[in-house]
Amino acid sequence: MGSSIDNLIKNTPDTSLRNIAEKVKNGDRISDEECLVLFEKADLPFVGALANFIREKFHGDKTYFNRNFHIEPTNVCVFSCKFCSYSRLYANKEEGWELSIDQMLDIVKSYDGKPITEVHIVGGVHPKMNMAYFIELIQKIHAHRPALHVKGFTAVELDYMFRKAKLTVEEGMQALKDAGLQSLPGGGAEIFHAEVREIIAGDKVSGEGWLRIHEVAHNLGMHSNATMLYGHIEKYEHRIDHMKKLRDLQDKTKGFNTFIPLKFRNHNNDMSDVPESTITEDMRLYAIARIYLDNFPHLKAYWPMLGRQNAQLSLSFGVNDIDGTIDDTTKIYSMAGSEEQTPTMSTEELVALITQVKRRPIERDTLYNEITDYSQQLN
Ligand code: V47
Ligand code: SF4
């Protein structure tokens, strides 16, 4: 590992790129300016080699996945993000769905006896589903299956819930934690910078609001993820601003587990005229994120969005986690034109995907405690 980065340094004539490679070798943090240099000048093999160096320093060949399922309480949403192919206005009775607490509990019960460790609850922002409704849901899930980790609600949903209940973020988060909510997913982050956010997601929680909700959760001892919706109208500067805000907060709280770049997909939404990013640009972004976010332990490729083969490829560009088995109840991505129309993958398929590219498949729980090392089982 050491010698390949030494060779890279030796064979890089450009001084600014060589300095960045030196920093990575020494475990030093790169600056925002250097991050811009990477976006503007560095080719895929260069950033890939650096990202892989970091990935192997942190995790060796380990590649994590978990066994989870999603509950999407509703696709009705009071907001109107331009990139969203999923939400329906409250007035649209034909295409909107809303699940009762009993229907959601039936989903949970359908996994009884199966070795699932996490339920991921995320959906639109329904004007009538309030704090009390979700507290009851969480409590009932917890009562039915206490060992199931409840990861739920984007900062967008939480911001709306707390404001409607007239609670401060601290009070609201404490109430959900008391009910049994254990961690937050990373959705709703999009691009924090107001210049872009106003255009693509102008009416929901601001970047500052998103960050504050995660900070409060971290201060209560909860962990969370962070996403970035990329590959649409944002510029490199906006990506760097987004990642800088995450890196700064992580320095303060250490509460983030995973960074998840989400590739913008352009089907069935108000941004269908915006072309999608290329695979080269996707892999460059993963690699640069791995290099820049030196205090994030994990980098996840969300395979339902990227597609299986590209998720596999990303394991050479800094990624060490490919999310979970997921169930086909997840509709957010199939509606936006992702590779996977029915995103469901068995554990065997996930394990095969990882071993095909010579990585070590490890099943983890939400907090990255290792459950099973599948390479042991294969030998
Ligand atoms: O915030 C919506 C994205 C996110 C599109 O924390 C789109 O483990 C691309 O954040 N093209 C919600 N992306 C999902 C999410 C998530 C998913 C998996 C795991 C975790 C985690 C979090 O989906 C939204 C938005 O950024 N999204 N529409 C689209 N057209
Ligand atoms: Fe609503 Fe989320 Fe879609 Fe925005 S991305 S319209 S908040 S469901």
Side-chain angles (χ1 to χ4, degrees):
M1 206 165 84
S3 67
S4 63
I5 197 163
D6 287 334
N7 284 338
L8 186 75
I9 293 169
K10 210 167 67 197
N11 297 324
T12 303
D14 183 288
T15 323
S16 54
L17 290 177
R18 202 171 53 242
N19 288 343
I20 294 172
E22 292 273 10
K23 278 193 165 179
V24 170
K25 182 186 168 192
N26 298 328
D28 294 335
R29 177 168 277 191
I30 68 161
S31 66
D32 298 352
E33 294 71 29
E34 287 168 327
C35 192
L36 187 60
V37 169
L38 289 180
F39 274 123
E40 285 180 341
K41 283 215 269 192
D43 62 19
L44 183 60
F46 181 84
V47 290
L50 295 184
N52 197 46
F53 175 84
I54 298 167
R55 185 240 201 259
E56 292 187 353
K57 187 170 89 178
F58 283 10
H59 306 291
D61 274 346
K62 289 180 181 176
T63 298
Y64 294 102
F65 66 94
N66 73 345
R67 296 206 217 197
N68 63 359
F69 65 97
H70 286 211
I71 295 181
E72 294 174 11
T74 181
N75 67 342
V76 170
C77 190
V78 297
F79 298 120
S80 43
C81 304
K82 279 204 163 145
F83 54 81
C84 184
S85 324
Y86 165 81
S87 70
R88 294 293 176 267
L89 291 174
Y90 187 45
N92 186 343
K93 296 280 181 221
E94 272 98 71
E95 294 178 19
W97 81 79
E98 40 192 272
L99 301 182
S100 67
I101 290 182
D102 283 345
Q103 284 172 316
M104 291 190 265
L105 277 176
D106 283 343
I107 298 177
V108 175
K109 287 176 189 161
S110 72
Y111 290 93
D112 283 358
K114 295 188 184 156
I116 295 283
T117 58
E118 173 191 283
V119 53
H120 178 168
I121 309 172
V122 68
V125 178
H126 192 292
K128 297 215 171 125
M129 288 181 175
N130 59 16
M131 190 82 187
Y133 190 80
F134 288 120
I135 285 185
E136 188 184 337
L137 172 69
I138 299 166
Q139 282 171 336
K140 287 190 167 162
I141 293 177
H142 227 58
H144 179 72
R145 193 162 170 176
L148 192 65
H149 184 108
V150 183
K151 177 173 91 177
F153 312 115
T154 65
V156 176
E157 295 165 276
L158 295 171
D159 170 67
Y160 187 83
M161 244 187 260
F162 299 162
R163 282 191 292 119
K164 253 188 102 176
K166 299 201 172 16
L167 295 174
T168 64
V169 176
E170 284 81 359
E171 289 164 345
M173 199 64 77
Q174 184 68 57
L176 291 175
K177 187 182 176 203
D178 292 346
L181 184 70
Q182 286 154 292
S183 57
L184 308 188
E190 323 313 356
I191 289 286
F192 293 141
H193 200 292
E195 234 168 60
V196 174
R197 199 173 186 85
E198 266 163 30
I199 300 170
I200 65 166
D203 53 357
K204 69 187 188 188
V205 68
S206 66
E208 289 67 37
W210 189 101
L211 289 157
R212 190 166 141 54
I213 285 175
H214 282 253
E215 181 167 5
V216 169
H218 296 171
N219 290 341
L220 290 176
M222 298 162 83
H223 284 268
S224 72
N225 292 335
T227 57
M228 175 170 78
L229 181 73
Y230 73 93
H232 42 90
I233 59 164
E234 89 288 1
K235 299 200 169 74
Y236 291 147
E237 285 81 353
H238 299 123
R239 294 182 185 180
I240 298 168
D241 175 78
H242 190 93
M243 294 195 292
K244 178 183 168 44
K245 287 172 175 152
L246 291 174
R247 192 168 78 171
D248 287 350
L249 180 55
Q250 180 75 333
D251 277 343
K252 256 167 96 177
T253 64
K254 312 248 180 312
F256 289 117
N257 282 333
T258 316
F259 181 58
I260 313 163
L262 293 172
K263 175 190 174 89
F264 164 67
R265 308 304 306 243
N266 67 6
H267 289 219
N268 305 319
N269 56 44
D270 290 343
M271 289 170 70
S272 296
D273 55 322
V274 177
E276 293 181 356
S277 59
T278 62
I279 300 303
T280 306
E281 191 54 16
D282 296 335
M283 295 304 136
R284 256 167 42 85
L285 171 69
Y286 279 111
I288 295 171
R290 183 58 288 173
I291 297 165
Y292 182 83
L293 291 173
D294 60 344
N295 55 4
F296 269 66
H298 304 286
L299 180 66
K300 186 196 281 190
Y302 188 53
W303 63 262
M305 206 56 186
L306 256 193
R308 290 164 207 227
Q309 289 181 350
N310 295 331
Q312 210 174 28
L313 187 64
S314 73
L315 300 182
S316 300
F317 294 92
V319 168
N320 69 293
D321 186 329
I322 51 172
D323 204 85
T325 41
I326 311 180
D327 191 67
D328 58 6
T329 44
T330 303
K331 299 188 179 65
I332 298 180
Y333 300 101
S334 50
M335 289 166 109
S338 69
E339 311 298 316
E340 306 283 337
Q341 290 307 306
T342 50
T344 176
M345 210 181 335
S346 67
T347 305
E348 291 71 31
E349 286 173 294
L350 266 172
V351 165
L353 198 106
I354 296 166
T355 42
Q356 274 162 14
V357 287
K358 309 273 179 287
R359 299 290 187 186
R360 185 141 64 101
I362 312 269
E363 185 191 340
R364 60 161 176 90
D365 67 12
T366 310
L367 303 177
Y368 290 85
N369 298 303
E370 296 186 6
I371 297 176
T372 308
D373 180 343
Y374 278 83
S375 64
Q376 303 300 321
Q377 301 205 345
L378 295 170
N379 291 333

